Amino acid sequence: MKRSNNRTNPARTRREALGLLGGAALLGATSRSVFAQRSDDVLTEALVLRDPDAPATGNPDGDINIVEWFDYNCPYCRKIAPEIQQVVQDDGKVRLVLKDWPILGEVSKFGARMALAAKYQDKYMAAHEAMIGVSSRLTEPRIRELLAGAGIDMDRLNRDAATNAKAIDTILARNHDQAVAFGFKGTPSFIVGKFRVPGILTMAEFEMVIADARKAKKSN
């Protein structure tokens, strides 16, 4: 359930680049808001952008949010990860929200649960970077090896994963429900500001969408 790696010519205009991606669109351009108004809906702005259980990096006070749904066994997610981090670092005003969406099998689910369990020892980003930074397909033993190598207390990790299993599964279910509600078909998929981007962007295209998201925000 991976998305094909469709790249666009950086020389094209912003709108042409977005159009070629086949689905990048300004959410809320119709009369219906991008975010749901009912507090029990998974697509409320608070749960999509500010879910306290969803790890985030970048500028915590950034003016634009990038929300990524990803799978640790998705090769495209791995390939784009350093580019996203570079865009966030270079921009300086972007907050990156990470939504674990393990759709590629049981090992993916194991990796997502371990990453979220690492949050209880303030090591989510260490776990995330360890798993997203490899080039080969993950296995459970390899995940444990990577996490131990990242300085994570494995005994505590196992305890936290078991003790907080229900809370972790609730986060994963919410991430899944949001991705389905947005119509995403695979990983990686993104919300950039109020743009829905179901696929891969180059660094230049990310910069274009961020610029458009800022313009759209000012016009509201």
Side-chain angles (χ1 to χ4, degrees), residues 57-206:
T57 186
N59 186 338
D61 300 315
D63 63 338
I64 292 295
N65 288 282
I66 295 178
V67 186
E68 179 187 8
W69 283 260
F70 66 93
D71 185 304
Y72 288 115
N73 255 329
C74 166
Y76 305 115
C77 299
R78 295 177 189 149
K79 181 168 183 154
I80 202 172
E83 297 181 4
I84 298 171
Q85 288 293 344
Q86 191 64 53
V87 168
V88 171
Q89 180 179 326
D90 290 350
D91 183 281
K93 295 186 292 184
V94 170
R95 178 173 171 268
L96 176 63
V97 183
L98 297 166
K99 303 266 188 178
D100 292 83
W101 188 27
I103 56 176
L104 297 176
E106 290 304 312
V107 173
S108 293
K109 292 176 183 176
F110 176 78
R113 290 189 179 108
M114 291 296 100
L116 290 169
K119 178 182 64 173
Y120 293 95
Q121 52 180 293
D122 296 323
K123 291 289 183 71
Y124 175 88
M125 286 308 301
H128 174 79
E129 290 169 1
M131 287 188 283
I132 208 71
V134 299
S135 58
S136 57
R137 189 165 183 83
L138 294 171
T139 62
E140 288 193 18
R142 178 62 172 148
I143 288 172
R144 292 189 182 279
E145 179 185 1
L146 289 167
L147 297 183
I152 293 169
D153 181 333
M154 297 303 292
D155 289 336
R156 178 175 175 183
L157 184 70
N158 292 331
R159 291 196 303 271
D160 287 338
T163 302
N164 300 286
K166 185 175 180 180
I168 290 170
D169 284 346
T170 297
I171 297 167
L172 294 176
R174 185 157 64 240
N175 291 350
H176 172 80
D177 290 346
Q178 289 173 347
V180 171
F182 277 126
F184 295 142
K185 304 298 184 184
T187 53
S189 291
F190 303 88
I191 297 294
V192 180
K194 288 192 176 182
F195 283 94
R196 173 184 172 277
V197 185
I200 299 174
L201 299 183
T202 63
M203 287 179 66
E205 290 162 359
F206 264 117

Side-chain angles (χ1 to χ4, degrees), residues 5-82:
N5 188 8
N6 293 326
R7 297 281 183 167
T8 62
N9 184 339
R12 293 180 182 271
T13 67
R14 180 177 300 155
R15 292 302 177 192
E16 286 173 337
L18 294 176
L20 283 172
L21 287 166
L26 179 60
L27 297 166
T30 64
S31 59
R32 183 182 182 276
S33 172
V34 51
F35 299 116
Q37 302 305 308
R38 288 170 40 200
S39 61
D40 60 341
D41 196 296
V42 294
L43 292 187
T44 59
E45 184 170 356
L47 281 180
V48 174
L49 301 183
R50 299 286 174 181
D51 185 341
D53 295 322
T57 186
N59 186 338
D61 300 315
D63 63 338
I64 292 295
N65 288 282
I66 295 178
V67 186
E68 179 187 8
W69 283 260
F70 66 93
D71 185 304
Y72 288 115
N73 255 329
C74 166
Y76 305 115
C77 299
R78 295 177 189 149
K79 181 168 183 154
I80 202 172

